[in-house]
Amino acid sequence: MATADDVRRVALSLPGAVEKLAWGMPTFRAGPGGKIFASLDDDDQVMGVKCPKEERAELIAAEPGKFFIREGHDDGYAWIRVRLGALDDEAELRAVLADSWRQAASRRLLAEHPEMGEAG
């Protein structure tokens, strides 16, 4: 079961990642002044990550115990919520965070870190 501490440790291990408090919650950004790629909800049981809107329904349908959106809040954003306790292991946590990081990272940051792959 992943914890908020695991999210923080893995998120901050990604290239250029920084933590910044926003809306009273920890957020993780792809570089100083960069876009948010993850946030922790105030209960430390859920994280939000970037996800193309057109992919959300499929993820939620496939694993509704793991993925969801907060209706009325996430509807218009390329964002999905992940229940930390439903993640299989740290490898899955790392994969989810790395995918979100790639979506938020600047072209320059992506070019500086080809080992992270291309945004999908």
Side-chain angles (χ1 to χ4, degrees):
M1 176 171 131
T3 66
D5 288 339
D6 295 330
V7 170
R8 181 170 282 109
R9 179 176 47 76
V10 172
L12 292 174
S13 74
L14 298 171
V18 296
E19 182 174 348
K20 183 177 180 181
L21 201 61
W23 310 288
M25 298 181 298
T27 65
F28 303 91
R29 297 168 186 260
K35 292 180 183 175
I36 296 172
F37 69 89
S39 67
L40 284 166
D41 284 9
D42 54 12
D43 66 359
D44 284 349
Q45 302 296 309
V46 172
M47 72 174 173
V49 293
K50 292 190 73 60
C51 178
K53 285 192 264 183
E54 59 275 4
E55 294 178 17
R56 294 187 312 187
E58 185 178 333
L59 284 170
I60 293 166
E63 297 185 85
K66 189 177 294 184
F67 301 107
F68 67 101
I69 61 168
R70 216 177 326 151
E71 304 240 349
H73 188 269
D74 299 330
D75 302 334
Y77 299 98
W79 204 250
I80 196 167
R81 305 286 165 161
V82 183
R83 291 178 180 90
L84 297 179
L87 291 170
D88 295 334
D89 53 25
E90 187 166 315
E92 185 177 27
L93 172 63
R94 181 169 294 282
V96 168
L97 286 168
D99 184 58
S100 186
W101 178 92
R102 282 189 292 275
Q103 293 174 63
S106 67
R107 289 182 191 171
R108 188 188 105 255
L109 192 55
L110 286 167
E112 290 171 358
H113 296 279
E115 75 279 8
M116 294 298 295
E118 293 184 22

